[in-house]
């Protein structure tokens, strides 16, 4: 019954005090490597569109499809992961995710035509989508006593991985060709699979040491928490839809927008790296701050304002000042840190965290997948990209709506549709 009393009992559920990392070191290394390798394949291609188009016939539709693939694939994997979470160990799922990401990056680097390139890109994105879903419950399973700081470190590494690939894509492509530039990042994904393979090989069945909240014990219990019947589930889905439509449209189209505004291609590629790395300071701070705030809506408002202000400057300010506005818009990416932290803030069991993560990302990314695609189709020569950015502004309103829905201090497991029996058996 203590689990039904609300958030004030959460510290008792998650364990009192911090435990030593002994026995969890391999999982810690695995999580850090996954974070550092999980986003290169997203940002490695768009700076190279010029080189790609000289070799493969990319047009507006195929480029828009390339931009849509991350969100669409994340959505598909979000829906597929929901039943998998009750049938497979989290460690197996992370190993599978890294294998998919590695194969996808290698395959598209060798692709002889646009359809093959897009197909293997989809495989890589499915792997990343699985990582996105599994990472929150893995952190809760192994590090529930350090959830704030390790969430911050994980999201920080995601930001670094995005920026590193964007920054080095063109230099590597210039020296060795676009195929090497895009395929080289597969090595990081392969290395990230090693700790999870080692855990499964050494232990056979993996369990965290010490007290742990709510392990997966059966498919029925893992699925007892139904986020689609809760405003928390739909609110989180809208948050993912709002920020991902903005972020992935920028990761695909920002270099093209800046080149159209008169910037050199190499400089535009560097600006994408700057845009990506600007999520870094918030990644370090936001998960910790969100865990301490009962109602963290002001954090979401901050990021929406940054996106909107940056877009306005890119469209209306003189082209010479574009870098300033890219920096401001880049700060809006802290919305991902907010969304990631809110998954474990609004749940208190592994099954709740996994179910909310899968549903929110599956539904949210499905809604957002039209964003990068429409960004290209709405553009006409001479319109200054105004219709495209106006569409992204509408998605910011979606983000705000979701943030309001999850602002109230409560957890998914408190929803009346969750069977009390399921909550009792998932106690520590």
């Amino acid at each position: 019954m203590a689990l039904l009393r609300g958030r004030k009992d959460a510290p008792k559920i998650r364990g009192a005090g911090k435990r030593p990392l002994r026995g969890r070191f391999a999982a810690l290394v695995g999580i850090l490597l996954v974070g550092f390798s999980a986003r290169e394949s997203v940002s490695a291609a768009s700076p190279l569109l010029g080189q790609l188009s000289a070799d493969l016939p990319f047009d507006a539709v195929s480029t828009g499809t390339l931009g849509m693939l991350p969100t669409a694939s994340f959505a598909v994997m979000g829906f597929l992961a929901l039943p998998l979470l009750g049938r497979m160990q989290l460690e197996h799922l992370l190993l599978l995710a890294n294998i998919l990401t590695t194969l996808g990056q290698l395959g598209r680097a060798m692709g002889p035509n646009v359809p093959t390139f897009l197909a293997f890109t989809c495989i890589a994105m499915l792997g990343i989508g699985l990582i996105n879903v599994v990472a929150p419950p893995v952190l809760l399973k192994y590090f529930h006593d350090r959830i704030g700081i390790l969430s911050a470190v994980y999201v920080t590494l995601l930001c670094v991985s995005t920026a590193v690939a964007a920054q080095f894509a063109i230099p590597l492509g210039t020296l060795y060709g676009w195929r090497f530039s895009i395929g080289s990042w597969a090595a990081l994904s392969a290395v990230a699979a090693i700790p999870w393979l080692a855990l499964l090989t050494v232990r056979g069945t993996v369990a965290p040491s010490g007290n742990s909240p709510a392990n997966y014990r059966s498919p029925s219990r893992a699925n007892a928490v139904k986020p689609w019947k809760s405003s928390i589930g739909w609110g989180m889905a809208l948050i993912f839809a709002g920020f991902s439509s903005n972020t992935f449209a920028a990761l695909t189209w920002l270099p093209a927008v800046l080149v159209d505004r008169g910037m050199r291609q190499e400089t535009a590629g560097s600006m994408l790296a700057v845009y990506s790395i600007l999520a870094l300071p918030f990644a370090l701070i936001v998960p910790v701050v969100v865990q301490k705030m009962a109602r963290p809506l002001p954090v979401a408002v901050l990021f929406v304002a940054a996106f909107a202000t940056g877009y306005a400057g890119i469209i209306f300010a003189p082209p010479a000042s574009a870098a300033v506005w890219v920096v401001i818009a880049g700060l809006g990416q802290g919305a991902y840190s907010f969304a990631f932290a809110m998954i474990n803030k609004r749940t208190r069991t592994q099954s709740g965290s996994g179910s909310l993560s899968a549903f929110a990302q599956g539904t949210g990314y499905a809604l957002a997948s039209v964003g990068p695609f429409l960004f290209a189709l709405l553009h006409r020569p001479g319109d200054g990209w105004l219709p495209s950015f106006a569409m992204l502004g509408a998605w910011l309103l979606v983000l705000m709506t979701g943030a309001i829905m999850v602002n109230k201090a409560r957890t998914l497991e408190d929803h009346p549709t969750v069977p009390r029996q399921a909550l009792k058996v998932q106690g520590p």
Side-chain angles (χ1 to χ4, degrees):
M1 294 298 292
L3 291 176
L4 302 175
R5 293 174 186 166
R7 192 67 189 176
K8 64 182 180 180
D9 288 332
K12 296 180 181 179
I13 296 168
R14 297 196 177 198
K18 293 183 178 181
R19 296 183 287 114
L21 292 175
R22 185 180 65 254
R24 299 182 287 173
F25 182 74
L28 176 62
V29 172
I31 288 171
L32 297 181
L33 287 175
V34 165
F36 185 67
S37 64
R39 289 296 176 88
E40 280 89 359
S41 58
V42 175
S43 59
S46 57
L48 294 166
L49 281 175
Q51 295 184 33
L52 276 168
S53 299
D55 203 4
L56 303 178
F58 273 90
D59 55 19
V61 174
S62 55
T63 305
T65 302
L66 178 64
M68 184 179 70
L69 277 177
T71 51
S73 300
F74 296 172
V76 170
M77 187 52 73
F79 293 126
L80 291 177
L82 194 56
L84 291 177
L85 285 169
R87 293 172 172 82
M88 295 178 65
Q89 293 185 59
L90 297 173
E91 296 80 8
H92 279 120
L93 292 174
L94 276 180
L95 178 61
L96 173 61
N98 281 284
I99 291 173
L100 288 174
T101 306
T102 302
L103 293 178
Q105 292 182 92
L106 289 175
R108 71 176 183 173
M110 297 183 289
N113 50 50
V114 171
T116 303
F117 186 94
L118 294 177
F120 277 101
T121 296
C122 182
I123 293 173
M125 297 303 131
L126 288 172
I128 298 174
L130 186 55
I131 290 172
N132 290 342
V133 172
V134 175
V138 165
L139 283 170
L140 190 59
K141 176 178 181 178
Y142 282 96
F143 304 105
H144 58 92
D145 54 332
R146 291 176 170 86
I147 194 69
I149 185 62
L150 283 179
S151 294
V153 171
Y154 176 80
V155 176
T156 298
L157 290 174
L158 289 180
C159 300
V160 172
S161 68
T162 306
V164 165
Q167 178 61 45
F168 289 100
I170 290 180
L172 287 174
T174 301
L175 289 173
Y176 305 110
W178 69 264
R179 295 184 185 276
F180 177 87
S181 180
I182 286 178
S184 60
W185 305 108
L188 293 178
S189 299
V191 171
I194 295 175
W196 305 107
L197 180 61
L199 276 171
L200 292 167
T201 301
V202 173
R203 300 185 187 181
T205 58
V206 182
S209 61
N211 295 329
S212 177
N215 295 319
Y216 288 105
R217 296 195 178 101
S218 73
S220 61
R221 287 173 187 146
N223 293 326
V225 181
K226 295 179 170 55
W228 53 89
K229 294 186 177 181
S230 168
S231 60
I232 291 178
W234 286 105
M236 287 301 304
L238 294 182
I239 292 173
F240 273 95
F243 85 76
S244 59
S245 57
N246 280 266
T247 298
F248 287 101
L251 290 176
T252 304
W253 289 105
L254 184 60
V257 171
L258 296 177
V259 169
D260 193 49
R261 298 278 285 165
M263 189 176 286
R264 294 174 61 247
Q265 183 178 2
E266 292 78 6
T267 306
S270 296
M271 288 310 303
L272 180 62
V274 171
Y275 175 89
S276 302
I277 202 63
L278 284 168
L280 181 60
F282 290 108
L284 287 167
I285 298 170
V286 169
V288 178
V289 172
V290 165
Q291 288 298 323
K292 295 180 181 297
M293 295 178 67
R295 295 174 177 264
L297 180 61
V299 178
V301 173
L302 173 68
F303 298 133
V304 169
F307 271 130
T309 303
Y311 294 162
I314 291 172
I315 297 170
F316 299 112
S321 66
V324 175
W325 304 109
V326 169
V327 167
I328 295 174
L331 297 177
Q333 295 174 98
Y336 178 77
S337 303
F338 174 80
F340 188 90
M342 289 300 292
I343 291 174
N344 282 332
K345 184 174 180 65
R346 291 295 179 245
T347 58
R348 60 172 181 260
T349 61
Q350 284 181 34
S351 59
S353 176
S355 296
L356 181 59
S357 179
F359 174 76
Q361 296 192 55
T363 305
Y365 285 126
L367 294 172
S369 61
V370 299
F373 188 74
L374 288 178
F375 194 89
L377 296 185
L378 290 173
H379 173 61
R380 295 291 182 273
D383 65 11
W385 299 88
L386 179 58
S388 300
F389 280 104
M391 180 268 298
L392 294 185
W395 282 111
L396 293 179
L397 297 178
V398 172
L399 194 165
M400 276 301 306
T401 301
I404 293 170
M405 292 173 68
V406 302
N407 191 46
K408 184 178 178 182
R410 66 197 191 284
T411 64
L412 182 67
E413 291 86 349
D414 294 329
H415 194 274
T417 60
V418 179
R420 295 192 175 193
Q421 184 64 24
L423 289 177
K424 288 180 182 178
V425 297
Q426 292 189 27

